[in-house]
Amino acid sequence: MKYPPIIKGLPHMIHGGDYNPEQWRDTPQIWTEDFRLADLAHLNSLSVGIFSWTALEPREGEYDFSWLDTILDEMAKHGMKAILATPSGARPAWMSQKYPEVLRVGADRVRILQGERHNHCYTSPVYREKVAAINEQLARRYAGHPALGAWHLSNEYSGECHCPLCQEAFRSWLKARYHNSLDELNRAWWTAFWSHTYTDWSQVESPSPRGEQNLHGLTLDWMRFATEQTLDFIKAESEPLRRLTPDVPLVTNMMGVYPELDYFRLADGLDVASWDNYPQWMNDEGDAHVAAFAGFQHDLTRCTKDGRPFLLMESSPSSTNWQPVGKLRRPGGHKTYSLQAVAHGADSVQYFQFRKSRGSSEKFHGAVVDHVGNENTRVFGEVKQTGEALTHLDAVVGTAVPAETAVIYDWNNRWVLKDSKGFLQEKGYEQTVLAHYEGFYRRGVPMDVIDQTKPLDKYKLVIAPMLYLLRPGFAEKAEAFVRGGGTFVTTYYSGYVDEHDLCFLGGFPGPLKNLLGIWCEELDGLRPQDTNRMLWEGKDYTLHDFAEVIHLRGAQALGEYGEDFYAGYPALTRNQVGGGSAYYVAARFGEDFHNDFTDHLIRTCGIRTTLGMLPGGVSAQMRTDGENEFVFVMNFMPYAQAVDFGPGGVDMESGETVSGRGELPARGIRMFRR
Ligand code: GLA
Ligand code: ZN
């Protein structure tokens, strides 16, 4: 089974990036040169129009599309497809001056001044009207244009607005959520605490450092509202595009694990998922870990649209100017880092940016074409080489990642965990999910990263670390999954609160108690110097940060605590339910445990790995069309490593046979079909 290509008429891997020709309108010879260079680098797409509002509508209602016409016509001549942006990511000054309501208000209730970007009010009727008007113009003008490939909605939607219009919208949203009953809201938010009961809807306000920050139910609903209001804005700005160009897919660039928006929800307004990936290679964590984190975010992005191919919308071909250190990508690295996205299900490699801008804050950000202006740079050479490699991957376009294992990463849970006080202030949710993910990633197991709203039945194994907040229905879904033969793993700090962040009464892990066959009586926060350990199958595993004191209620203890007053209590349990099992990991362990536990799960669940054992810093991923498997083996380390390709297959670039032991160069990649 294959998905159709994301861009109609472009059945290839997309190779492109952000391009801002409006910055070079006075020098048309540069435009000409740009197309020569784009061809040379094997680019088949450019993302244009991002932040172009003033160039398109210099004065209210006065449009100028002449420059964009030229660019799109030129792209069509070169057989390229445009990912055409709506300009709502940044506003013209005339608009802010005439309609101050479009300017965002911060949590401190101060309205910003004109400037920067990504800072409009999502609720403002004026902003929505202006966006709809220009989007209508764009869609009318370019509907049917041979270069129009996809719509790039705005840019990196982010943040929140606390203006009076947004406060009113928040109250309306709450009224709908709580059936117009302030009593229901007061109960859900537990407002009797500290005498915070509301007696009139008009008293309800968004959280603020100058006001309420400790009503957890309020904070949670405000975070949800921010996502819903962004989604509502997306839908409003999409209306003319959907109406006038119904066949052109809508995409916006997400930001991986960006904390403030629930991307699983936001994806509802999109046809295709995409994200901007800026890994910090060569930092203190080491590239093996950096690669795993990038892999995690690729998988997460793919799963926001249920596994369909996604776009790597931005990446730097060289250094990234906002990072603390502007490290250059080392020779060879660019191709491997770029194709890593494809290995995890992307159908594109795209850059920020094509041509380096001459002024302002991004003039030293990596780009395909540097200020020198020609193709004779190392970076250009690496981009070209990557483009060449992509031309050999037509068969991979539209294929899926065959994940049998999923890890749950849930924004609602993330928000409330951050708020929850006690045990240990720093919860480390992201790191914990990643630690579980990495065990499988290092073994070349394709993974899905999903939230609690997604179906579980297609997996053999589902891991839900620190699942503190349980969404309605999740416990039942997990139980049905296990009864049907699945394996479910969860950990300490799970099943504590419901969807309102109210504690479950009657014992933790709340509605997961029966499935897991345990009762958690207490949770111990550990100081860095505290020591304890677990004994499991004759081995000792050190634990840290969190240790729960749990009792068996049907489950079997696999591992036990070694020290302290809970020595001898279970620390790792398994409960057999129906045809499957549910594991509970009662404490936070290190890499030694994750390695052994992952091996145990792979063995007992019969999970397939892409290749056999892999050396550290090597990743193996696969995609499939149902008949062929496309295997990507990547070495992220700065030295060559030997890998066992097993029975191997046909190298997708050279056509040679790959099998048995072979060498991957430093930061090198091998791709074969089997
Ligand atoms: C983001 C933005 C781009 C650019 C890059 C720089 O991803 O979307 O416009 O600012 O960062 O890394
Ligand atoms: Zn607002």
Side-chain angles (χ1 to χ4, degrees):
M1 205 283 270
K2 266 198 183 202
Y3 296 100
I6 291 172
I7 294 182
K8 259 199 194 143
L10 194 66
H12 312 293
M13 283 292 160
I14 297 164
H15 191 211
D18 281 29
Y19 175 47
N20 296 100
E22 70 274 27
Q23 293 177 14
W24 306 93
R25 270 184 297 174
D26 301 338
T27 47
Q29 67 279 17
I30 288 200
W31 287 0
T32 312
E33 192 54 7
D34 283 338
F35 282 97
R36 184 186 72 82
L37 292 166
D39 283 343
L40 206 58
H42 304 281
L43 298 194
N44 54 21
S45 165
L46 289 166
S47 310
V48 290
I50 305 166
F51 309 128
S52 302
W53 203 331
T54 319
L56 295 170
E57 191 181 358
R59 275 162 299 277
E60 189 173 7
E62 255 178 55
Y63 297 104
D64 174 10
F65 294 102
S66 55
W67 63 272
L68 191 52
D69 289 350
T70 310
I71 295 296
L72 289 188
D73 292 350
E74 208 54 37
M75 284 181 72
K77 269 190 227 152
H78 288 256
M80 300 174 87
K81 293 288 185 184
I83 301 188
L84 181 57
T86 65
S88 65
R91 279 175 318 272
W94 57 254
M95 195 189 301
S96 305
Q97 192 172 43
K98 184 161 173 200
Y99 309 102
E101 71 163 60
V102 302
L103 297 165
R104 202 172 270 190
V105 170
D108 57 1
R109 309 304 193 252
V110 176
R111 200 178 285 279
I112 58 162
L113 303 176
Q114 160 68 13
E116 302 289 339
R117 60 176 183 175
H118 306 160
N119 54 13
H120 54 273
C121 168
Y122 289 122
T123 308
S124 155
V126 171
Y127 198 68
R128 288 180 175 219
E129 183 194 308
K130 295 290 162 203
V131 172
I134 186 127
N135 290 2
E136 171 106 17
Q137 294 283 332
L138 282 167
R140 275 195 191 292
R141 193 167 190 95
Y142 299 115
H145 193 289
L148 179 62
W151 289 108
H152 182 298
L153 294 171
S154 201
N155 192 68
E156 294 187 342
Y157 292 105
S158 51
E160 53 190 36
C161 176
H162 299 254
C163 80
L165 294 166
C166 289
Q167 301 291 350
E168 218 22 70
F170 181 42
R171 281 177 213 119
S172 306
W173 182 82
L174 291 169
K175 282 179 190 162
R177 180 166 170 73
Y178 295 106
H179 314 98
N180 245 326
S181 159
L182 206 49
D183 285 348
E184 197 180 322
L185 175 141
N186 278 313
R187 274 195 303 276
W189 290 1
W190 209 251
T191 54
F193 178 77
W194 288 354
S195 200
H196 286 180
T197 305
Y198 298 99
T199 51
D200 192 276
W201 285 101
S202 61
Q203 295 155 3
V204 180
E205 284 223 19
S206 61
S208 168
R210 292 170 51 214
E212 188 61 82
Q213 288 195 104
N214 272 305
L215 207 53
H216 289 176
L218 161 67
T219 311
L220 174 58
D221 274 342
W222 172 252
M223 297 304 287
R224 286 177 176 140
F225 168 76
T227 292
E228 295 304 323
Q229 198 64 354
T230 307
L231 180 57
D232 193 62
F233 181 86
I234 289 180
K235 289 185 172 166
E237 97 149 285
S238 304
E239 190 281 324
L241 314 177
R242 293 231 183 261
R243 173 165 41 83
L244 296 163
T245 58
D247 295 338
V248 182
L250 304 190
V251 52
T252 192
N253 43 350
M254 303 192 277
M255 295 176 275
V257 294
Y258 174 73
E260 288 175 32
L261 290 172
D262 178 350
Y263 284 147
F264 286 105
R265 250 323 265 155
L266 211 72
D268 199 43
L270 310 171
D271 299 319
V272 177
S274 89
W275 83 292
D276 300 341
N277 179 26
Y278 293 97
Q280 304 205 28
W281 301 108
M282 288 170 288
N283 70 16
D284 296 340
E285 291 176 319
D287 284 354
H289 182 72
V290 176
F293 186 41
F296 177 82
Q297 295 181 90
H298 289 313
D299 291 338
L300 169 68
T301 305
R302 187 186 69 246
C303 293
T304 61
K305 282 313 268 181
D306 302 320
R308 299 176 76 88
F310 65 98
L311 297 176
L312 171 64
M313 188 60 85
E314 292 179 21
S315 62
S316 172
S318 180
S319 65
T320 301
N321 77 332
W322 49 262
Q323 292 175 354
V325 180
K327 259 335 228 189
L328 299 178
R329 291 192 158 186
R330 264 40 192 177
H334 177 67
K335 180 179 161 190
T336 303
Y337 305 154
S338 302
L339 287 163
Q340 185 193 14
V342 176
H344 286 263
D347 276 0
S348 79
V349 170
Q350 294 161 267
Y351 309 113
F352 180 85
Q353 50 196 326
F354 176 63
R355 179 181 281 274
K356 213 172 253 194
S357 84
R358 186 164 182 202
S360 212
S361 70
E362 289 183 330
K363 58 182 174 294
F364 298 122
H365 192 291
V368 178
V369 180
D370 212 329
H371 294 130
V372 67
N374 60 36
E375 64 271 43
N376 306 317
T377 62
R378 183 180 69 89
V379 169
F380 189 93
E382 303 234 355
V383 168
K384 186 177 169 188
Q385 196 201 359
T386 303
E388 251 156 30
L390 288 169
T391 61
H392 297 286
L393 303 185
D394 284 359
V396 184
V397 173
T399 60
V401 172
E404 298 174 322
T405 307
V407 64
I408 290 187
Y409 184 75
D410 189 295
W411 262 273
N412 275 222
N413 187 49
R414 182 178 182 188
W415 294 329
V416 290
L417 260 177
K418 186 167 155 267
D419 250 9
S420 97
K421 294 197 162 69
F423 314 117
L424 205 65
Q425 290 313 336
E426 196 41 60
K427 303 298 185 291
Y429 176 58
E430 287 82 27
Q431 294 87 322
T432 306
V433 176
L434 200 61
H436 284 266
Y437 170 91
E438 247 186 289
F440 292 88
Y441 168 88
R442 283 195 293 266
R443 284 157 181 75
V445 174
M447 298 282 280
D448 275 358
V449 179
I450 58 172
D451 77 352
Q452 292 179 58
T453 65
K454 300 287 177 197
L456 307 180
D457 38 9
K458 62 174 164 182
Y459 304 109
K460 288 184 175 170
L461 170 63
V462 173
I463 303 161
M466 299 180 80
L467 203 63
Y468 169 69
L469 176 146
L470 295 183
R471 305 234 204 163
F474 180 77
E476 293 78 3
K477 187 161 66 175
E479 190 165 332
F481 166 68
V482 174
R483 283 197 186 285
T487 299
F488 180 72
V489 177
T490 187
T491 72
Y492 56 91
Y493 226 133
S494 290
Y496 281 34
V497 301
D498 68 7
E499 59 174 322
H500 302 296
D501 204 358
L502 293 175
C503 291
F504 289 116
L505 303 180
F508 299 153
L512 289 174
K513 257 187 325 188
N514 287 342
L515 174 62
L516 294 158
I518 57 140
W519 166 45
C520 159
E521 188 179 355
E522 294 179 282
L523 171 54
D524 198 12
L526 273 59
R527 293 213 165 83
Q529 66 273 22
D530 293 346
T531 53
N532 204 333
R533 65 207 162 85
M534 172 181 71
L535 303 167
W536 175 39
E537 291 186 346
K539 252 172 111 173
D540 251 359
Y541 298 90
T542 311
L543 56 99
H544 53 274
D545 297 348
F546 293 106
E548 270 183 355
V549 183
I550 65 168
H551 305 272
L552 300 176
R553 290 284 184 271
Q556 172 201 359
L558 303 179
E560 288 167 359
Y561 287 110
E563 276 151 45
D564 219 320
F565 75 91
Y566 39 91
Y569 278 63
L572 176 66
T573 65
R574 181 177 53 211
N575 197 28
Q576 226 73 47
V577 177
S581 358
Y583 287 82
Y584 196 75
V585 183
R588 182 175 282 172
F589 297 102
E591 206 175 300
D592 55 343
F593 170 76
H594 283 291
N595 281 332
D596 291 346
F597 189 49
T598 304
D599 284 334
H600 170 88
L601 292 169
I602 288 178
R603 206 173 47 242
T604 52
C605 302
I607 306 276
R608 261 188 84 201
T609 61
T610 303
L611 291 178
M613 280 299 294
L614 299 168
V618 169
S619 163
Q621 297 290 328
M622 56 178 155
R623 293 177 66 169
T624 179
D625 59 9
E627 275 173 36
N628 304 282
E629 276 178 354
F630 305 94
V631 177
F632 299 77
V633 195
M634 297 152 278
N635 177 18
F636 291 99
M637 306 316 282
Y639 41 81
Q641 300 208 72
V643 177
D644 188 351
F645 295 108
V650 180
D651 187 297
M652 291 194 271
E653 286 180 274
S654 66
E656 289 162 13
T657 305
V658 188
S659 73
R661 273 183 93 69
E663 198 179 75
L664 279 178
R667 302 189 176 93
I669 178 168
R670 199 94 206 247
M671 303 179 280
F672 61 89
R673 175 208 289 252
R674 68 181 176 200

